[in-house]
Amino acid sequence: MRLIRRSRQLHGWLTVLLLAVFALTAAGCGNEQPAAGEGGAPPQGDLTLVVGAYSVVKDAMGEILPGFAEKWKADTGQTIVFQQSYEASGTQARAIAGGFEADVTLLAMEGDIGKLVKAGLVEKDWKQRGGEAGMVTRSVVALGTREGNPKGIHDFADLAKPGVKVLYPNPKTSGGAQWDINAIYGAGLKRSEEQEGAKDPAAAKAFLESIHRNVESLDKSGRASMAAFEYGVGDVIVTYENELLARIAEGVKYEVVIPKNTILIENPAAVVDKYADKHGTRAAAEALVDYLTTPEAQEIFAKFGFRPVNRQVYAAHESQYPVPAGLFDISYLGGWEEVRTTLYSKRGIWYQVLAGI
C-alpha cells in the first residue's frame, strides 16, 4: 500500500509540476526586470530599488510600488524605478543570502528574515525599524474548497477523511507551507488539550500524519499550490486566507473554511542593510518599508485579502475577517526557534511524517 501511495503521490507531483511551470510561465511569477520603455530599453530613473519578495504578495505589490514611486517623486523630486523578484519565501531568502542584492525584502515569516540576519545582511534590530514590530500584513491559515463544499469540509479533521485529496506546498521551500504545517500541528495540540487536558505532541504528530496521508502534491510555493488547485487538482487546499479571498474577488467560486483552531500568520518586511548601503539606497529602502504600513498601502493589501496591520484600516474591514475561537499565534508553539527545532530539523516531526517513521 505504501508503494501504491508513493506512486500515486509521485504522479500527482509530476502533474502539478507541469501545471505550475505552465502557470509561472503564463503569469510571470518568477524573477522580473523593470518593464521595457520606449524602444525596448529598461526605464531610466534617478534611483533603482531592488525588491525581493515571496510570491503571494506579487499582485498587491504591483499596485503598491507605483503609489510609493509617486510619493517619493513628490517628496524628493527623484524618479524611482524597481527591479522585482517573486519566489517562494524560503527560496527567496536563500537567494538573497546567496548574493541576490535586494534592497528590500518581504517574506512569509520571521524565520526567513532571521536567515538574513544570520548571514550578516540584515541588522538584528530590524523588527524595531519598520512595520508593526516588523510585520506588514497578517492572515490566517484557511481551507479552500470547491464551490458548494462537496466534500463537507468544516475543520482540519475533515482533511483526513477517506477520498479527500489535499493540497499544501513543501515547507522546505515555502514559508506558506510552514504556516500550514504549524497550523495543523498546533490544531492537533489544541485537540489534545481539549480531550486530555494537556498538550500532547504525539497526538499532534498523529493528527498531522492523518492529514498528510491525503496530500496529493507538495508544491514549491503557496502561489504554485494555488495555481494547481485552480487547474482542478485536489478537493481542498490549505493556504493563506488572503489567497482565497483574492481569487473570490476575481469571481472564482471557492468556499473559505476557517478552522476552529488555526494560526495567526504574520508577514515581515525589512531593509537588507548590507545591500542597501552598498547601493546607496538606504533612504528609499527605509521609506518603502515605512510606506507598506500606511493607510494607502494597507488598503491595497486588504483589497487582496490580507488582514491589515494598520489599526485604522483593520477597523474599517474588521467584519470581513472572522476570528476563530481557537486562534493561536507562533508563541503557542514555543516561537520560531522552537518550531524550527521541533518540526523542521533533520530529525524533526515534519520529516518523520514525510518519511513515514
Side-chain angles (χ1 to χ4, degrees):
M1 289 299 292
R2 181 176 294 277
L3 289 175
I4 293 173
R5 185 168 66 250
R6 289 187 182 278
S7 177
R8 183 187 68 193
Q9 289 179 331
L10 178 59
H11 180 268
W13 293 338
L14 291 172
T15 299
V16 174
L17 177 60
L18 290 173
L19 292 172
V21 168
F22 173 80
L24 289 171
T25 301
C29 289
N31 289 345
E32 299 186 349
Q33 298 298 322
E38 293 183 8
Q44 299 298 310
D46 300 308
L47 184 69
T48 298
L49 204 61
V50 183
V51 178
Y54 71 112
S55 58
V56 173
V57 295
K58 179 176 183 288
D59 295 336
M61 292 300 287
E63 295 190 16
I64 288 171
L65 291 178
F68 173 71
E70 183 178 343
K71 184 178 187 303
W72 183 260
K73 177 75 171 179
D75 291 346
T76 69
Q78 288 184 318
T79 299
I80 190 168
V81 295
F82 302 96
Q83 291 182 347
Q84 302 166 61
S85 169
Y86 298 92
E87 295 283 0
S89 185
T91 302
Q92 190 68 271
R94 285 191 293 274
I96 295 170
F100 168 51
E101 296 187 1
D103 300 300
V104 172
T105 187
L106 291 80
L107 296 174
M109 58 187 188
E110 182 180 332
D112 283 338
I113 300 287
K115 295 174 184 176
L116 304 183
V117 173
K118 289 182 179 179
L121 301 175
V122 174
E123 296 295 335
K124 293 179 180 179
D125 67 345
W126 66 273
K127 292 180 72 174
Q128 282 72 54
R129 293 191 286 136
E132 183 76 16
M135 305 302 155
V136 295
T137 54
R138 295 189 178 106
S139 191
V140 298
V141 171
L143 308 176
T145 78
R146 305 297 176 188
E147 185 177 10
N149 195 359
K151 294 290 184 176
I153 304 299
H154 301 291
D155 211 337
F156 281 126
D158 296 321
L159 305 188
K161 290 179 178 177
V164 175
K165 296 178 181 179
V166 179
L167 292 182
Y168 53 62
N170 188 340
K172 185 176 181 180
T173 57
S174 169
Q178 290 195 26
W179 283 117
D180 298 339
I181 301 304
N182 295 349
I184 296 169
Y185 181 75
L189 290 176
K190 287 273 188 177
R191 280 165 56 94
S192 68
E193 279 193 298
E194 293 167 2
Q195 296 171 2
E196 305 167 23
K199 292 181 182 178
D200 184 349
K205 177 189 173 184
F207 186 64
L208 177 57
E209 285 174 326
S210 70
I211 292 171
H212 187 69
R213 292 189 194 105
N214 283 346
V215 169
E216 189 78 355
S217 65
L218 291 172
D219 301 293
K220 177 182 177 181
S221 69
R223 181 52 59 91
S225 189
M226 198 71 213
F229 192 60
E230 290 185 346
Y231 276 100
V233 180
D235 302 309
V236 58
I237 184 170
V238 186
T239 188
Y240 291 171
E241 173 193 48
N242 56 275
E243 282 284 79
L244 296 166
L245 294 179
R247 294 304 182 275
I248 290 169
E250 294 173 356
V252 183
K253 303 297 184 181
Y254 293 143
E255 305 286 340
V256 180
V257 176
I258 307 294
K260 173 188 172 185
N261 298 316
T262 193
I263 196 165
L264 176 68
I265 295 168
E266 296 185 289
N267 311 120
V271 174
V272 186
D273 297 283
K274 182 175 181 179
Y275 297 143
D277 288 340
K278 177 181 178 180
H279 302 155
T281 57
R282 172 171 288 280
E286 290 179 346
L288 175 56
V289 172
D290 289 340
Y291 183 78
L292 295 175
T293 56
T294 63
E296 294 79 10
Q298 290 285 294
E299 283 287 356
I300 294 172
F301 279 128
K303 173 184 173 181
F304 287 93
F306 290 94
R307 299 187 176 209
V309 299
N310 181 288
R311 295 178 185 179
Q312 171 189 337
V313 179
Y314 180 80
H317 296 274
E318 189 172 3
S319 62
Q320 301 172 25
Y321 304 115
V323 179
L327 185 66
F328 57 92
D329 62 22
I330 196 68
S331 66
Y332 179 74
L333 302 179
W336 278 111
E337 289 296 331
E338 177 68 19
V339 165
R340 279 194 290 269
T341 300
T342 301
L343 265 71
Y344 304 115
S345 65
K346 290 183 179 180
R347 298 181 181 274
I349 289 169
W350 164 249
Y351 294 98
Q352 294 174 32
V353 169
L354 194 63
I357 58 177

